[in-house]
Amino acid sequence: QVQLVESGGGWVQPGGSLRLSCAASGFMSDSYSIGWFRQAPGKEREGISCISGKHGTTYYADSVKGRFTISTDNAKDTVYLQMNSLKPDDTAVYYCATGQYTLVAGCDLYGARYLEVWGQGTLVTVSS
């Protein structure tokens, strides 16, 4: 059974950086894509980045493009989200997720409801 565990959240001042990690355990084919999602208090969940399993293609929401970078380690069992130039609007609980849906659809930043494997989330707070 695949499990995802996020880490790396915390408090940072505006303009600062954090790197989130999403560690995958259990069998998971390299063909699975993994996405990062976030949910701020009182707001809907937002898909912000994804890396495709087949080709390693990366995708970003406009809200984070140019500031966030998604990557994997060589073994492809950890996905990272490097977050730079953080803003107060980036404050949210960040989740990584995947599922069989990605074998067909690849990366879909709007496909959160189709994903069945989610981490527990890690809180990112950006404030002065």
Side-chain angles (χ1 to χ4, degrees):
Q1 182 177 358
V2 177
Q3 290 185 319
L4 301 176
V5 178
E6 302 97 337
S7 62
W11 173 82
V12 64
Q13 292 185 333
S17 299
L18 283 175
R19 188 177 79 158
L20 305 183
S21 299
C22 172
S25 62
F27 173 76
M28 188 170 72
S29 164
D30 288 348
S31 297
Y32 282 80
S33 301
I34 294 182
W36 282 98
F37 300 80
R38 68 184 181 185
Q39 188 161 23
K43 295 187 177 180
E44 292 187 355
R45 184 170 47 193
E46 176 188 17
I48 58 172
S49 186
C50 182
I51 186 163
S52 69
K54 290 183 179 179
H55 304 295
T57 306
T58 58
Y59 301 83
Y60 300 94
D62 288 344
S63 58
V64 305
K65 196 173 296 181
R67 301 187 298 123
F68 291 10
T69 302
I70 191 171
S71 63
T72 64
D73 63 0
N74 290 335
K76 294 187 179 179
D77 57 6
T78 302
V79 176
Y80 303 100
L81 187 68
Q82 178 67 42
M83 306 186 297
N84 298 328
S85 303
L86 283 162
K87 308 173 183 179
D89 283 349
D90 294 318
T91 296
V93 178
Y94 285 69
Y95 302 89
C96 57
T98 188
Q100 292 189 349
Y101 171 73
T102 70
L103 298 178
V104 176
C107 279
D108 179 1
L109 295 181
Y110 301 97
R113 62 189 180 277
Y114 302 119
L115 303 178
E116 71 271 19
V117 182
W118 289 79
Q120 82 288 352
T122 185
L123 176 63
V124 172
T125 303
V126 185
S127 72
S128 54

